[in-house]
Structure formats: C-alpha cells, structure tokens
Amino acid sequence: MIKTDSLPFYLKLSQISIGIVAFVFVIYIGQQIILPLIFALLIAILLNPFVSFLQRKGWNRVLAILIVILIAFILLAVLLFFIFTQASMFTEALPQLKVKFSAMFETAINWVSSTFNISVEKIHGWISEQKGEGLSNSSAIIGKTLMTVSGVLFSFFLIPVYVFMFLFYKNLLIHFISALFSKDKNGMVNEVMTETKNLIQSYLYGLSIEAAMVAILNSVALLIIGVDYAILIGVIGALLNVIPYIGGLIAISLPMIIAVATQSPSAALWVFIAYIIVQFIDNQIIVPYIVASKVKINGLISIIVVIIGGALWGIAGMFLSIPLTAIVKVFFDRIEPLKPWGILLGDEVSKEDKNSIFRKKKTIKIQVVKPRVKDMKSSYKNKDE
C-alpha cells in the first residue's frame, strides 16, 4: 500500500485536480437532483425550531411537521400571488412602454450614428442580422425555457416532500453522521453540526428580515419619486438583493430604465441616488445589526463563489453560494490539515497573525558561556601532568 504522504507533489496536485473536476462535473450534471435536496435541507433546518416548539407543546411529530410546512408554503403562496397580481398590472401597460422604448431606441441609434460616423442603415442592418440569428435559435431557446419551467414546477412539488422527510428522519440522519466517525470524534462532530445549524438559521432568518426591510425602503423611495409600479419593482429589487453583489446591480438598473421610459432622465438620476442610499442603509445598518449571521467570507472569495455558482446552477447557485461556502469553512476550521483553506475563505486576520507575518522580526539569541576559574585551573593542571 502506497502512503499518500510519500507521493511527489505533482502526483498529489494531479489527484486533487482530477477530484475537483469530477466533483464539479457531477454537481453540474446532477443539478436537477441536488438543488431540490439542498433547498429542502435548508428549509428543514429553518423550520426545525417551530416543529420542536409544537412537539414540546404535546403535538404529534407528524402533525407538527405537516402544520409547519403548510403554514410556510401558504406564506410563500401569498407572496407569489402578490407579485403575480402586481406583474399583471405591469403587463397591461406593456404596449405603451413598448412605444416609449422604441422611441428611446431610435434616439440612441441616431446618437451612435452622429457620434461614431456610422450610417443609420448599417446599424439597422446589423440589428436585423442579430434578430435573424435570434429567431433561428428561438426553437432551442423555447425548448430550454420549457425544460427550466417544468423543472421548477417539479421541484416546487418535490421540495415539500423532501422537507417532510428531513424533519421526520432528523434523529436518524444525525445518528448516521455520528456513526461515520469514531467515538473520540463525536464531540467535534456535534460541535460542527450545531454550528452549521445555527449558521444556516441565523443567515436565513436575517436574510428574510433584510429582504422585507429593503422591499419597504425601495417601494417608499420609488413612490416618493413617482416611478410607476413602485411596489412591484421594490419587491423585485429586494429579492434580487438576496443574490450577493450581482443582484444589487440588476436591482438598480431595472427602476432606472422604467424611470427613463415613463418620466425623464432626471427621474432615473433620483432613482440611482435613492438606491445608493438604500444600499448604504442595508450594508451599514441592516446587515451588521439585523442579519448578524456568522457568515464570515471575505469579499474576493464571495465574488468568485457567486460567479461559479451562477455558472453551475444559475440564479439558485448564486443564492446558495455564500451559505454553502460558509458551511465548508466551518468544516475547514475544524480539520487540522484544512485550516489554511479556512483562513483563506475567512475575512479576519488576528493581530497575532499580522505581527507574525509582517511585523515580527526574527531574532537570534547568542548565549556567551564564561568559563569558571576552577575549571580553568583544573585544565592547566591536566596539561602539566
């Protein structure tokens, strides 16, 4: 049997690279199976305190789980119904918006033509060419869209079943995880599971409160400015804000486009200022004091994992990227060989680490041993003899 410690570095690197490629390939191919399981597990962890509360009140376990899941999905259905009713009002005004967008589009074409000395006919020809290519690929796009919608609907009905199973077999799953490790590791395993559970609960609870407060702030700001469909755009902006970094950029562009189309460029400027103020309140007050989660991932890693999550799983991957990375960091911090990777993911460096890396100077102590007089006399005596 070959010990892995005795392998050369290039062989270890090859093994790690092959393992990462295989892992990414599996989670990409199996996203239709993996994503509902992950969402169901997160929802189950989120709902577990309510199930435990009802059980302490004497409720049957199965009945408690069913009641909690039913209430949670009724609240979700109410939110979706509100969004769809607001969106229906938006669709009624689409013809008017289409006319305004067409006028803005023609104005933009004339500006490009006069600024860059390109004929309007060439620009329209290029646009027509792009439209032709888009129509030729429309069948593939429609097919992919239908598959995505069917997958979402399938997951919508499958996730409650998974949530019920996770909550019902919670003790069995915990016992299974503990049995994977030796008895002397049970303390560390329980600590990791407890910290992971608290991390997910604090993150998701805080995220829900943050989304509600940002939706209210966005809607109030847009109502004051006078932007049409302020409540719908404010709620959509709050939901997009859940996606780290990228969602905020998309959320601010949508109301600015609507403001330019329905009012004037000055209204779009006021929308931009209002959203900057809301983002400042969100980042400086809501997130530190209300979200208050233990998700401590530095900005560089956050951007990287959000992009990777979007490339692998789309919008769902962007949302899941931060909490999953935080869970991985919990494991890295508890496993001695992986602690350097936990440091890389985190955003805190202790003063001791800073001093030891950058400021602490290496000193060499030289100890001078003075010979005793008695030893010197005895050495001379030996020489004389």
Side-chain angles (χ1 to χ4, degrees):
M1 183 176 178
I2 301 175
K3 295 182 179 179
T4 53
D5 294 339
S6 62
L7 292 176
F9 173 76
Y10 64 88
L11 286 180
K12 292 181 181 179
L13 184 62
S14 301
Q15 290 178 347
I16 294 172
S17 302
I18 293 172
I20 292 174
V21 171
F23 175 75
V24 172
F25 180 76
V26 168
I27 64 174
Y28 177 74
I29 296 297
Q31 58 182 301
Q32 297 295 333
I33 300 172
I34 296 172
L35 275 178
L37 283 172
I38 294 176
F39 275 111
L41 180 60
L42 295 179
I43 295 172
I45 294 174
L46 191 65
L47 299 180
N48 181 62
F50 301 102
V51 175
S52 300
F53 173 78
L54 291 180
Q55 284 189 276
R56 288 195 298 270
K57 295 296 181 180
W59 286 54
N60 177 269
R61 182 174 182 80
V62 175
L63 184 60
I65 294 172
L66 290 175
I67 291 296
V68 170
I69 292 176
L70 180 62
I71 293 174
F73 278 87
I74 287 175
L75 294 176
L76 179 61
V78 169
L79 176 62
L80 293 176
F81 177 76
F82 171 76
I83 293 175
F84 285 134
T85 52
Q86 293 290 320
S88 64
M89 297 171 57
F90 180 75
T91 54
E92 293 176 358
L94 279 179
Q96 182 182 0
L97 289 175
K98 185 177 180 181
V99 173
K100 292 183 178 181
F101 278 122
S102 298
M104 290 173 55
F105 190 66
E106 290 296 330
T107 304
I109 289 176
N110 293 330
W111 179 82
V112 171
S113 176
S114 60
T115 303
F116 298 99
N117 196 21
I118 303 173
S119 65
V120 177
E121 291 77 12
K122 285 186 177 181
I123 298 175
H124 279 290
W126 180 80
I127 293 172
S128 300
E129 182 182 351
Q130 296 301 317
K131 285 183 179 178
E133 292 179 359
L135 289 174
S136 64
N137 297 327
S138 60
S139 59
I141 295 172
I142 292 172
K144 186 176 180 180
T145 302
L146 291 175
M147 289 179 62
T148 303
V149 172
S150 62
V152 170
L153 292 175
F154 179 72
S155 299
F156 185 79
F157 291 104
L158 189 60
I159 285 176
V161 177
Y162 284 153
V163 172
F164 178 85
M165 293 300 176
F166 279 129
L167 289 172
F168 185 76
Y169 292 110
K170 179 187 72 172
N171 296 329
L172 176 66
L173 295 173
I174 293 174
H175 182 68
F176 164 72
I177 295 173
S178 299
L180 291 175
F181 301 89
S182 58
K183 291 184 178 181
D184 58 329
K185 301 289 185 181
N186 283 345
M188 184 190 72
V189 172
N190 291 331
E191 184 180 350
V192 169
M193 287 194 294
T194 302
E195 187 173 347
T196 303
K197 180 197 69 173
N198 295 335
L199 184 147
I200 293 173
Q201 288 176 350
S202 63
Y203 180 73
L204 294 180
Y205 288 143
L207 207 62
S208 303
I209 298 172
E210 179 198 9
M213 297 186 70
V214 171
I216 294 172
L217 291 174
N218 288 344
S219 302
V220 170
L222 295 176
L223 287 171
I224 293 173
I225 297 170
V227 178
D228 296 338
Y229 321 106
I231 297 177
L232 174 64
I233 297 173
V235 172
I236 292 175
L239 295 177
L240 289 172
N241 191 58
V242 170
I243 302 173
Y245 302 102
I246 299 174
L249 297 176
I250 302 173
I252 197 172
S253 61
L254 178 62
M256 289 182 67
I257 294 173
I258 298 296
V260 170
T262 57
Q263 296 186 18
S264 63
S266 61
L269 178 61
W270 282 112
V271 169
F272 178 78
I273 295 172
Y275 267 61
I276 290 297
I277 295 173
V278 171
Q279 286 295 317
F280 178 80
I281 295 172
D282 180 34
N283 294 328
Q284 301 298 322
I285 298 175
I286 298 177
V287 171
Y289 295 101
I290 294 179
V291 176
S293 79
K294 299 178 181 178
V295 181
K296 300 294 184 182
I297 306 297
N298 66 69
L300 175 63
I301 298 297
S302 298
I303 295 173
I304 292 173
V305 297
V306 166
I307 294 173
I308 294 174
L312 291 175
W313 293 340
I315 296 176
M318 291 181 178
F319 170 74
L320 292 173
S321 58
I322 299 298
L324 290 181
T325 305
I327 293 171
V328 170
K329 184 180 182 301
V330 172
F331 288 95
F332 284 175
D333 290 339
R334 292 296 183 276
I335 301 173
E336 192 63 34
L338 300 177
K339 279 188 176 180
W341 296 100
I343 295 172
L344 178 64
L345 297 179
D347 65 343
E348 293 181 355
V349 179
S350 63
K351 294 181 179 180
E352 181 181 354
D353 292 336
K354 289 180 180 179
N355 292 333
S356 63
I357 296 172
F358 298 108
R359 296 181 182 177
K360 190 174 180 180
K361 294 182 179 180
K362 194 173 182 180
T363 57
I364 301 174
K365 293 183 179 181
I366 301 176
Q367 185 177 3
V368 179
V369 181
K370 295 182 180 180
R372 293 180 297 177
V373 177
K374 184 177 180 181
D375 294 336
M376 292 176 66
K377 288 182 179 180
S378 60
S379 63
Y380 285 128
K381 185 176 180 182
N382 292 332
K383 283 182 179 181
D384 293 337
E385 291 177 355

